[in-house]
Amino acid sequence: MSIDQSDADRANAFFLLDEVLQFFWPAALRAAAELRVADHLADGPLPVQDLAKAVGADPRNLYRALRLLATRGVFAEDAEGRIALTPKADPLRSDAPNSVRSGVIMVTDAMFWSTSGAITDSVREGGPVFERIFGVPFFEYFATDPATVALFHEGMASYSDSENLPVARALPLAGGTRLVEIGGGHGHLLRTVLREHPGVHGVLFDRPHVVAEHGLGELGDDTRWETAEGDFFDKVPAGDAYLMKRVLHDWSDDECVEILSRCRDAMHPGGRIYAVDTVIPEGNAYDHGKVLDVLLMVAFTGRERTAAEFATLFDRAGLTVERVIPTDSVMSVVEGSRA
Ligand SMILES: C[S@@+](CC[C@H](N)C(=O)[O-])C[C@H]1O[C@@H](n2cnc3c(N)ncnc32)[C@H](O)[C@@H]1O
């Protein structure tokens, strides 16, 4: 660099050099989650030596990783040099009511970490790089590796648990509605929806190996739900309303049109579609959906979409977007009906 650079030039250059190192923050977060550091601090702060012994780690390197996390309020070193849990570290506890430990481990797993490293290929060529690295497309990979499928669904549940209640409350469901949740995973959202809307009957639809692990029994009323297994590109159960959260964002526009068309085919007259995803706002401001979109870009054929892009998708499937309903979370509900 030239010697006559200005202070602003230096600041801008260093800004990038500092930013590019920030991927070590989630890396350190992964170590804390994998080692269950938060679990061992639930009863109070510990000297790093004791904490390292409890979690089976090297004290010096554990301290270094936690010191980095503490720069953003996740764990803290107290005045006596002990490591303490903080409100922002608390959700890393595996039994916290809002635990995100599985979500942290999923997002930092090789399925996304390795694919993010090949982002230039994705940007250059226009498709995901997952298959090139792992040999098969994302969801097929799960059929070959049960450990990863469990990791993925537990991780998804971490995300879901933080958004299910606001999403359920935002859904304008009338009593007597037969609601089919497409790609509903283990049924955490459906369970919440059924609790919030006592007159609704739920159908959980997903791949057989996923439905097999559902937790709808925890609702305490087995008359209010049923399960169905299959492939949403083939056929979905009949119903009055279709709910799909974090499903359309996994797929390309053509694939989404197929999924939406299968719902349209099976939907009772006057039915509704509720597609729940982030809806990307116009402009340059930070938005959670813009980050998630890049994860989808490298690993899936899908993307996060703007309201206009949802309208185009729905239109291609013979549906009309009635409105976009905000929720008290990063997710929005795109409500559609038959065109
Ligand atoms: C990103 S996860 C979302 C899970 C859940 N809706 C949530 O928000 O946590 C996508 C879901 O779609 C399911 N899925 C993928 N391909 C499918 C297919 N062809 N037919 C039915 N379900 C499928 C997956 O098993 C998974 O549960």
Side-chain angles (χ1 to χ4, degrees):
M1 198 183 265
S2 136
I3 50 164
D4 56 2
Q5 54 183 300
S6 68
D7 288 350
D9 290 339
R10 269 194 303 279
N12 286 335
F14 188 72
F15 166 77
L16 293 178
L17 293 173
D18 191 50
E19 283 288 306
V20 82
L21 274 169
Q22 297 309 313
F23 72 93
F24 281 104
W25 198 87
L29 194 59
R30 176 179 180 83
E34 282 200 296
L35 293 170
R36 298 180 186 273
V37 169
D39 288 353
H40 288 87
L41 294 173
D43 294 332
L46 286 177
V48 74
Q49 297 286 349
D50 296 359
L51 180 61
K53 200 166 174 197
V55 303
D58 174 77
R60 200 175 158 81
N61 285 357
L62 178 64
Y63 176 78
R64 294 160 83 186
L66 296 180
R67 179 172 61 184
L68 175 60
L69 293 179
T71 60
R72 299 190 193 175
V74 176
F75 303 107
E77 184 176 1
D78 71 11
E80 292 156 53
R82 298 171 307 176
I83 307 295
L85 204 56
T86 56
K88 283 189 177 143
D90 193 65
L92 283 176
R93 284 193 298 113
S94 39
D95 60 354
N98 54 343
S99 178
V100 297
R101 178 174 175 266
S102 307
V104 167
I105 292 174
M106 172 190 73
V107 172
T108 54
D109 182 78
M111 63 180 133
F112 298 125
W113 201 262
S114 325
T115 44
S116 72
I119 189 170
T120 310
D121 292 341
S122 176
V123 169
R124 190 182 284 128
E125 294 160 21
V129 292
F130 190 92
E131 187 167 352
R132 182 179 310 169
I133 295 172
F134 292 94
V136 283
F138 193 85
F139 285 113
E140 280 175 40
Y141 180 66
F142 289 172
T144 65
D145 184 7
T148 307
V149 81
L151 184 71
F152 179 74
H153 285 285
E154 281 167 28
M156 282 310 303
S158 280
Y159 275 87
S160 287
D161 291 347
S162 69
E163 66 205 12
N164 284 344
L165 190 58
V167 167
R169 289 187 171 155
L171 291 172
L173 295 172
T177 299
R178 182 181 168 82
L179 175 71
V180 184
E181 190 184 0
I182 300 295
H186 293 164
H188 293 211
L189 172 62
L190 189 59
R191 201 168 63 208
T192 310
V193 170
L194 294 176
R195 273 200 195 114
E196 289 295 306
H197 300 270
V200 169
H201 183 83
V203 182
L204 177 70
F205 179 83
D206 207 298
R207 307 300 280 162
H209 64 276
V210 181
V211 173
E213 303 291 324
H214 77 81
L216 288 170
E218 285 177 35
L219 184 68
D221 182 353
D222 296 352
T223 64
R224 295 196 51 215
W225 55 267
E226 58 201 86
T227 60
E229 354 175 298
D231 178 354
F232 50 44
F233 290 108
D234 179 24
K235 192 169 187 284
V236 301
D240 303 308
Y242 290 83
L243 177 61
M244 55 198 83
K245 179 167 73 69
R246 295 185 181 270
V247 167
L248 293 185
H249 79 172
D250 291 341
W251 304 97
S252 69
D253 288 359
D254 288 348
E255 289 164 326
C256 287
V257 170
E258 283 302 307
I259 297 168
L260 289 168
S261 300
R262 294 298 77 76
C263 296
R264 185 185 182 279
D265 296 344
M267 190 162 76
H268 295 157
R272 284 286 192 268
I273 307 258
Y274 300 109
V276 184
D277 267 314
T278 67
V279 174
I280 302 227
E282 305 294 336
N284 292 318
Y286 175 83
D287 185 80
H288 174 80
K290 293 180 185 177
V291 187
L292 200 52
D293 181 57
V294 178
L295 176 151
L296 293 162
M297 179 178 93
V298 295
F300 297 79
T301 54
R303 51 199 286 217
E304 299 297 327
R305 295 179 169 87
T306 63
E309 288 166 340
F310 273 109
T312 305
L313 272 191
F314 275 55
D315 186 56
R316 285 182 57 198
L319 298 162
T320 302
V321 170
E322 299 286 343
R323 56 185 165 155
V324 177
I325 308 169
T327 76
D328 202 8
S329 74
V330 294
M331 310 304 275
S332 296
V333 180
V334 181
E335 179 178 4
S337 62
R338 260 203 192 91

